[in-house]
């Protein structure tokens, strides 16, 4: 049955109920049949099931194999330290796993947040008696009573109403309260004025409704289902990290196998070749890459939090940096979600009202922008008195200025409060009678006892107020209404409406003796017009401009009407042309997917009257076009698209719980401008990741060369596997993290977004790390190794035992050579093209601390018995350090020279 199209009698009959409601026995039977009125959660995976994939991805499997081979090697060749190697590699696997699995919890919280939005108690009629029951006990057929301020717990059909209006913004995104009716309508369910929905609220009036859907059968529940079933796509950084690890892992494995075969061919013993193969694999695989990336993203999210952007999903930090499209809701995101009077027409003049929000601060200006003088303001006050007296809202200052009641009436009261002592006016002009607003008259009238006797104040739509006006108030004098004056009033009303202002007309008269509609609302004196709107946030136009400069496209997707949407878009600079593409939900129903893709190619496009399903269609279409999509929003209706988008951004203050739980990022100040700051940080994060990848990969060459020399040149192994891990997971870790904290470089927001095809491990990075910086470090490492052997009298071809002091000192020098040159490498990796001096040698304090840590840890390992025992080291004299330092200077000078050449060539 189309419940919205049925007569009231048919509604009761089809739902098996009556005006007396269900009996308690019938309600209990229906609870068993339909279940409780709660959101059903999809079964969650256990923590174990979430954690297991972190141990079974490609990178982890490679390390498991390396650990297993090390244990096998220790079994057949005990005493070589292979068991320590195996345990260390397993530790690396666990570190990587626990750093990444904690991000899995956010997706399942969305449905729980939806449940929290539902009220706990509701008034129902059962057995002819009104009673309060828990909202979860509602069933189809229940007759519910609704009053101002109530949250609605289930989808219901209105059967009786007294000027009842509801706020559907949490469901549809439209800010204007909607009038409800009990008449049948042959419209779609969500558009029918006789339907109230779960999760919305009553702003004014009262009524009675019959429940026809509960729990997951409500529109609210359908959104919960959508939210639970939307699967999040891997972020660009996740995809690129997976790609890098696969490439490096395959390369490492291939090299290990290749050199194992080569060692066998030249007659090396099996276990030496086996050790060598594992060494090549471990040296090539950057064990610290994944935890370093995770920690870098976490530190980036901390910086964003200081700029009012709370990151829930760490990968969202970098995704922001390559965002190409922001799909944004209007109400509460681009606008303040506070109706505000912007323009007044009175005494034949237009007055601009300044100041936004509910705080009664601001001033009145003429069309030239000059503040109204006392005389003109005095002539405006009768209209403002009408706005304050013909009004049922309340303006309070409890914990900040707020409105209780209808937002439109609240806007009128705030406007009045900017020029008159509204509380005194209301107190001294007591209301003695009211003729409430109804949809036929489209007027509201109050009669107040004033100093001039009883006065009737009227407000309503111009088309119903103007015809009953016989006079007009002009500069304090009552004049006869003429046709030219009527035309001028109508033209101004149209001008206001075309600017997306909601317009109300005001009039008054001395109250007659009889308070009937016919006698009171006739022979009125027209006072003026007030136009109001939910205004844009002050920071939004500048934010939109910055997004355009940064090559980021912004698309408005709102539940509001197209006139309002385009007007706001034009005011904030989102739309600049005379003919933008405007699509509504009705248009979307007739568009094919291909046609939608074509429409999205338009330079300026606005979507109005959207539903959650269409929002996801838009996000999906943009994704197919290769865009990296960010979706902002604050309502329940935004949740599925927030989750489907590459990055979902919810509002922290005005946002619903479900929007926050579905999002990857929350703007704590609800400020669209904070997105720009977050994008800047996101772009810096990817740049910084490339910096520490360069830093980490550069050390791979001096870690590989010793093994090649070991096999090819027949020298003692210059660097052991455990020493490699000491570098990768010890001395290198903090400087690598510090590179991830570099501030955004100048001009980062003047360049287009990074293409999704841009590689983390590109040709330039490989050439710089593997073929320029790495060889210099390898020269230092091998130079230190042979320098110690030479000073110790070693003769080429002489074998040295693993415990030989000379051998241990030589490997110590090799390891120290890498550490020393990594200090210089850390400094030069801070920039890709600019001289380090341009950003300052001492501006990254964490890097300075990392360098101190790096040198300090190496000293600790070299000169303490514990470090010597674990890593097979031996103390070296200060002269060896002095021998190695020039290599660090060489690396610094060479890299800065290379950057200078690159800049001059403009490459």
């Amino acid at each position: 049955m189309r419940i919205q199209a049925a007569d009231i009698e048919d509604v009761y009959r089809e739902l098996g109920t009556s005006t007396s409601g269900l009996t308690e026995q019938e309600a209990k039977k229906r609870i068993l049949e339909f279940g409780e009125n709660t959101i059903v959660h999809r079964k969650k995976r256990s923590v174990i099931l979430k954690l297991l994939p972190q141990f079974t991805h490609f990178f982890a499997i490679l390390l498991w194999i390396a650990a297993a081979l090390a244990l096998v090697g220790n079994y057949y060749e005990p005493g070589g330290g292979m068991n320590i190697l195996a345990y260390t590699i397993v530790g690396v696997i666990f570190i990587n796993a626990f750093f990444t699995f904690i991000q899995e919890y956010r997706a399942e919280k969305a449905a729980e947040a939806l449940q929290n939005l539902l009220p706990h108690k509701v008034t129902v009629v059962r057995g002819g008696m009104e009673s309060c029951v828990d909202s979860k006990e509602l069933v189809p057929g229940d007759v519910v009573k609704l009053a101002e301020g109530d949250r609605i717990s289930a989808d219901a059909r209105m059967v009786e109403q007294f000027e009842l209006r509801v706020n559907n913004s949490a469901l549809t995104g439209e800010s204007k309260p909607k009038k409800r009716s009990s008449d049948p309508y042959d419209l779609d369910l969500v558009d029918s004025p006789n339907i109230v929905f779960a999760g919305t609220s009553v702003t004014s009036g009262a009524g009675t409704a019959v429940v026809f859907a509960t729990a997951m059968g409500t529109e609210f529940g359908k959104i919960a289902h959508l939210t639970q079933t939307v699967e999040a796509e891997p972020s660009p950084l996740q995809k690129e990290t997976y790609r890098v690890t696969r490439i490096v892992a395959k390369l490492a494995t291939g090299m290990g196998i290749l050199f194992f075969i080569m060692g066998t061919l030249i007659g090396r013993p099996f276990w030496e070749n086996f050790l060598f193969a594992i060494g090549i694999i471990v040296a090539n695989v950057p064990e610290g890459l994944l935890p370093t990336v995770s920690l870098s993203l976490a530190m980036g999210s901390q910086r964003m939090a200081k700029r009012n952007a709370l990151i829930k999903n760490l990968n969202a930090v970098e995704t922001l940096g390559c965002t190409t499209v922001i799909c944004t809701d209007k109400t509460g995101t681009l606008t303040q979600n506070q109706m505000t009077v912007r323009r007044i027409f009175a005494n034949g003049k237009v007055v601009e009202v300044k100041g936004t929000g509910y705080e009664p601060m601001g001033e009145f200006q003429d069309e030239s922008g000059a503040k109204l003088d006392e005389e003109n303001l005095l002539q405006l006050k009768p209209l403002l008195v009408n706005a304050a007296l013909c009004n049922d809202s309340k303006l309070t200052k409890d914990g900040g200025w707020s409105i209780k009641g209808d937002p439109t009436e609240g806007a009128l009261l705030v406007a009045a409060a900017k020029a008159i002592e509204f509380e005194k006016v209301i107190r001294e002009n007591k209301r003695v009678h009211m003729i409430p607003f109804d949809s036929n008259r489209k007027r509201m009238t109050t009669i107040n006892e004033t100093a001039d006797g009883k006065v009737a104040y009227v407000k309503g739509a111009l088309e119903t107020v103007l015809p009953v006006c016989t006079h007009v108030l002009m500069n304090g004098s009552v004049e006869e209404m003429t046709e030219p004056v009527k035309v001028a009033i109508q033209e101004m009303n149209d001008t206001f409406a075309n600017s997306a202002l909601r317009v109300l007309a005001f009039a008054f008269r001395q109250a007659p003796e009889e308070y009937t509609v016919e006698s009171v609302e006739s022979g009125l004196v027209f006072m003026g017009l007030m136009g109001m709107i939910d205004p844009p946030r002050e920071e939004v136009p500048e934010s939109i401009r910055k997004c355009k400069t940064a090559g980021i496209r912004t698309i408005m997707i709102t539940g509001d009407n197209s006139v309002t949407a385009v007007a706001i878009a034009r005011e904030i600079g989102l739309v600049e042309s005379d003919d933008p593409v405007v699509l509504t939900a009705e248009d979307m129903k007739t568009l094919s997917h291909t046609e939608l893709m074509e429409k999205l190619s338009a330079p300026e496009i606005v979507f109005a009257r959207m539903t959650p399903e269409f929002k996801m269609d838009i996000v999906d279409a943009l994704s197919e076009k290769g865009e990296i999509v960010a979706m902002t929003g604050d309502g329940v209706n935004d949740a599925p698209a927030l989750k489907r988008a590459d990055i979902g951004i919810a509002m922290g203050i005005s946002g619903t719980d479900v929007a926050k739980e579905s999002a990857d990022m929350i703007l704590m100040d609800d400020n669209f401008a904070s997105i720009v700051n977050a994008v800047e940080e996101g772009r810096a994060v990817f740049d910084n990741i490339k910096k520490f990848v360069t830093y980490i990969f550069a050390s791979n060459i001096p870690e590989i060369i010793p093994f090649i020399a070991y096999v090819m040149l027949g020298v003692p192994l210059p660097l052991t596997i455990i020493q490699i891990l000491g570098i990768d997971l010890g001395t290198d870790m903090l400087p690598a993290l510090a590179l991830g904290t570099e501030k955004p470089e100048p001009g980062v927001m003047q360049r287009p977004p990074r293409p999704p095809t841009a590689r983390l491990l590109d040709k330039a990075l490989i050439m710089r790390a593997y073929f320029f910086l790495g060889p210099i470090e390898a020269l230092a490492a091998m130079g230190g190794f042979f320098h110690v052997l030479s000073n110790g009298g070693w003769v080429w071809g002489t074998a040295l035992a693993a415990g030989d002091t000379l051998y241990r000192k030589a490997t110590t020098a090799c390891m120290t050579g890498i550490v020393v040159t990594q200090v210089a490498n850390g400094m030069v990796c801070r920039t890709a093209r600019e001289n380090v001096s341009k950003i300052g040698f001492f501006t990254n304090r964490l890097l300075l601390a990392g360098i101190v840590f790096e040198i300090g840890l190496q000293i600790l390992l070299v000169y303490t018995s514990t470090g010597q025992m674990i890593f097979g080291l031996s103390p070296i004299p200060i002269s060896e350090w002095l021998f190695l330092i020039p290599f660090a200077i060489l690396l610094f000078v060479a890299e800065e020279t290379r950057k200078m050449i690159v800049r001059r060539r403009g490459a």
Side-chain angles (χ1 to χ4, degrees), residues 35-54:
E36 291 187 340
N37 182 33
T38 56
I39 299 298
V40 179
H41 297 170
R42 186 172 63 171
K43 188 176 180 181
K44 301 178 183 179
R45 289 186 302 161
S46 67
V47 173
I48 297 297
L49 290 179
K50 293 175 188 174
L51 187 58
L52 281 177
Q54 309 303 332

Side-chain angles (χ1 to χ4, degrees), residues 106-107 109-111 113-114 227-228 312 636 638-645 647-650 656-665:
R106 100 188 142 76
K109 293 184 179 178
L114 275 168
T227 303
Q228 294 181 77
K312 293 177 56 194
V636 174
D638 296 318
L642 285 175
K643 194 172 180 185
R644 178 67 62 86
I647 175 168
I649 307 171
T656 57
D657 286 350
V658 66
K660 295 175 186 176
E661 293 300 336
S662 296
D664 302 289
M665 185 178 88

Side-chain angles (χ1 to χ4, degrees), residues 250-441:
K250 290 176 181 177
L251 177 65
T253 304
M255 287 183 64
I257 294 173
L258 175 64
F259 282 97
F260 178 87
I261 295 172
M262 289 177 60
T264 302
L265 293 176
I266 63 176
R268 288 275 184 178
F270 175 84
W271 289 111
E272 285 187 12
N273 292 329
F274 182 77
L275 175 65
F276 171 70
I278 294 180
I280 287 290
I281 292 172
V282 173
N284 267 283
V285 172
E287 294 84 3
L289 177 61
L290 292 183
T292 303
V293 168
S294 296
L295 285 174
S296 179
L297 292 174
M299 295 170 82
S301 72
Q302 290 175 11
R303 295 199 305 275
M304 287 185 180
K306 294 178 181 178
R307 305 180 78 174
N308 295 311
L310 178 64
I311 297 295
K312 293 177 56 194
N313 181 351
L314 289 183
N315 288 295
V317 175
E318 185 276 334
T319 306
L320 273 168
C322 55
T323 296
T324 58
V325 176
I326 298 175
C327 295
T328 175
D329 189 24
K330 177 186 71 69
T331 305
T333 307
L334 297 174
T335 65
Q336 300 179 21
N337 202 18
Q338 296 180 346
M339 290 296 289
T340 304
V341 173
R342 296 285 284 268
R343 306 181 81 187
I344 296 174
F345 178 68
N347 304 308
K349 304 171 186 174
V350 174
V351 176
E352 303 287 341
V353 184
K354 300 301 178 182
T356 58
Y358 292 145
E359 185 174 3
M361 299 289 290
E363 63 181 22
F364 297 85
Q365 299 177 353
D366 60 26
E367 289 186 275
S368 68
K371 183 178 179 181
L372 287 189
D373 55 30
E374 287 297 325
E375 181 180 352
N376 282 305
L377 190 58
L378 186 64
Q379 294 170 354
L380 187 64
K381 284 186 177 179
L383 175 61
L384 299 176
V385 168
N386 186 332
L389 295 179
C390 189
N391 199 313
D392 285 331
S393 67
K394 291 180 174 58
L395 177 62
T396 64
K397 197 179 179 180
D398 298 335
W401 292 97
S402 62
I403 287 294
K404 292 183 179 179
D406 184 86
T408 298
E409 291 199 326
L412 299 174
L413 191 58
V414 171
K418 292 176 180 178
I420 65 174
E421 297 181 57
F422 75 98
E423 291 176 325
K424 181 180 179 181
V425 168
I426 294 172
R427 186 170 60 251
E428 293 181 353
N429 298 272
K430 293 189 180 298
R431 182 185 296 183
V432 296
H433 188 73
M434 181 181 77
I435 304 175
F437 178 93
D438 68 52
S439 56
N440 294 321
R441 291 167 36 250

Side-chain angles (χ1 to χ4, degrees), residues 70-357:
L71 287 176
V72 170
N74 184 72
Y75 177 79
Y76 288 103
E77 194 80 8
M82 301 287 278
N83 58 332
I84 297 176
L85 172 63
Y87 301 146
T88 304
I89 293 174
V90 170
V92 170
I93 296 171
F94 274 85
I95 291 172
N96 289 339
F98 282 103
F99 264 107
T100 51
F101 109 100
I102 56 174
Q103 300 168 32
E104 296 291 331
Y105 282 106
R106 100 188 142 76
E108 293 145 4
K109 293 184 179 178
E112 296 173 10
L114 275 168
Q115 176 62 36
N116 293 334
L117 285 179
L118 295 175
H120 295 294
K121 295 293 182 181
V122 63
T123 301
V124 300
V125 178
R126 286 184 178 172
M129 302 290 291
E130 290 189 13
S131 62
C132 286
V133 301
D134 196 301
S135 63
K136 69 181 182 181
E137 297 176 12
L138 279 183
V139 294
D142 261 328
V143 176
V144 296
K145 294 290 185 177
L146 303 174
E148 182 176 324
D150 285 352
R151 269 196 181 276
I152 299 166
S153 305
D155 289 358
R157 161 69 194 272
M158 298 300 305
V159 293
E160 183 181 40
Q161 63 86 27
F162 303 96
E163 300 306 316
L164 187 133
R165 284 178 168 76
V166 293
N167 183 347
N168 286 342
S169 62
L171 188 66
T172 67
E174 185 172 7
S175 57
K176 181 180 175 181
K178 305 295 289 185
K179 176 77 167 60
R180 296 295 88 178
S181 170
S182 57
D183 298 330
Y185 287 88
D186 191 18
L187 299 171
D188 289 341
L189 188 70
V190 294
D191 296 324
S192 296
N194 56 13
I195 302 296
V196 292
F197 298 101
T200 62
S201 59
V202 179
T203 60
S204 61
T208 305
V210 182
V211 174
F212 65 86
T214 58
M216 300 302 285
T218 64
E219 295 301 306
F220 202 87
K222 293 173 185 176
I223 292 176
H225 176 72
L226 284 172
T227 303
Q228 294 181 77
T229 55
V230 172
E231 298 295 334
E233 292 290 326
S235 75
L237 181 62
Q238 284 178 308
K239 295 175 182 177
E240 186 60 17
T241 303
Y242 296 155
R243 172 183 170 273
V244 169
T245 54
R246 283 177 179 271
I247 290 174
V248 174
K250 290 176 181 177
L251 177 65
T253 304
M255 287 183 64
I257 294 173
L258 175 64
F259 282 97
F260 178 87
I261 295 172
M262 289 177 60
T264 302
L265 293 176
I266 63 176
R268 288 275 184 178
F270 175 84
W271 289 111
E272 285 187 12
N273 292 329
F274 182 77
L275 175 65
F276 171 70
I278 294 180
I280 287 290
I281 292 172
V282 173
N284 267 283
V285 172
E287 294 84 3
L289 177 61
L290 292 183
T292 303
V293 168
S294 296
L295 285 174
S296 179
L297 292 174
M299 295 170 82
S301 72
Q302 290 175 11
R303 295 199 305 275
M304 287 185 180
K306 294 178 181 178
R307 305 180 78 174
N308 295 311
L310 178 64
I311 297 295
K312 293 177 56 194
N313 181 351
L314 289 183
N315 288 295
V317 175
E318 185 276 334
T319 306
L320 273 168
C322 55
T323 296
T324 58
V325 176
I326 298 175
C327 295
T328 175
D329 189 24
K330 177 186 71 69
T331 305
T333 307
L334 297 174
T335 65
Q336 300 179 21
N337 202 18
Q338 296 180 346
M339 290 296 289
T340 304
V341 173
R342 296 285 284 268
R343 306 181 81 187
I344 296 174
F345 178 68
N347 304 308
K349 304 171 186 174
V350 174
V351 176
E352 303 287 341
V353 184
K354 300 301 178 182
T356 58

Side-chain angles (χ1 to χ4, degrees), residues 628-683:
I628 302 298
V629 184
M631 168 71 183
T632 72
D634 60 357
V636 174
N637 63 315
D638 296 318
L642 285 175
K643 194 172 180 185
R644 178 67 62 86
D646 295 286
I647 175 168
I649 307 171
M651 303 297 113
I653 298 174
S654 62
T656 57
D657 286 350
V658 66
K660 295 175 186 176
E661 293 300 336
S662 296
D664 302 289
M665 185 178 88
I666 299 173
L667 297 183
M668 300 309 294
D669 58 354
D670 277 21
N671 192 338
F672 189 84
S674 297
I675 297 175
V676 179
N677 297 332
V679 168
E680 184 178 17
E681 289 288 352
R683 292 188 174 187

